Amino acid sequence: HVQLVESGGGSVRAGGSRRLSCTASGYTIYNSYCMGWFRQAPGKEREGVAAIASDGSTIFADSAKGRFTTSRDNAKSTLYLQMNSLKPEDAGMYYCAAHPRVCPKVFTPSTHGRFPYWGQGTQVTVS
């Protein structure tokens, strides 16, 4: 049973930074999984933000490029999202997700549907 638990959300001023974490449990092959970050603002579709493959390669949504980074600590089964230069449009519920195989090459509106495992989310507010 895969479990993903996000943390680190909260309120931040525009231009500020925030680091989100996601701890995985319930499976022993975390290292081979693609791990992703998605966000959803009220009234909007869930969208991909960043993803990191087992080999450490990453993809980012255009809106996140140059401002966000993602990393993984396989020894701790933990995923991170470092968000810098935050904008009000970055606000929303941030979700961690896991896919047992390959990461997407790019994010599309349907990418979130390919990830079978999800956390409960952590809220980020930017004012």
Side-chain angles (χ1 to χ4, degrees):
H1 178 63
V2 176
Q3 289 187 313
L4 303 172
V5 179
E6 303 94 337
S7 61
S11 295
V12 61
R13 291 184 179 271
S17 297
R18 200 81 182 180
R19 188 176 84 155
L20 306 182
S21 299
C22 170
T23 301
S25 63
Y27 58 108
T28 59
I29 53 175
Y30 167 83
N31 294 359
S32 66
Y33 277 50
C34 170
M35 300 299 298
W37 288 100
F38 294 78
R39 69 184 177 201
Q40 189 166 17
K44 294 189 177 182
E45 294 292 318
R46 191 168 298 189
E47 61 179 356
V49 176
I52 182 166
S54 58
D55 64 359
S57 59
T58 56
I59 66 166
F60 294 92
D62 287 344
S63 60
K65 288 177 182 177
R67 300 187 299 124
F68 292 8
T69 60
T70 188
S71 60
R72 61 194 297 167
D73 184 335
N74 289 338
K76 297 181 179 179
S77 296
T78 301
L79 174 72
Y80 303 99
L81 180 69
Q82 177 67 43
M83 304 184 293
N84 300 323
S85 302
L86 282 162
K87 305 175 181 179
E89 53 264 41
D90 294 318
M93 187 70 79
Y94 280 72
Y95 298 92
C96 169
H99 189 287
R101 290 182 287 278
V102 298
C103 271
K105 299 299 184 184
V106 294
F107 285 115
T108 70
S110 63
T111 298
H112 68 277
R114 296 171 51 190
F115 281 71
Y117 307 113
W118 291 86
Q120 293 300 306
T122 186
Q123 184 73 39
V124 174
T125 303
V126 184
S127 59

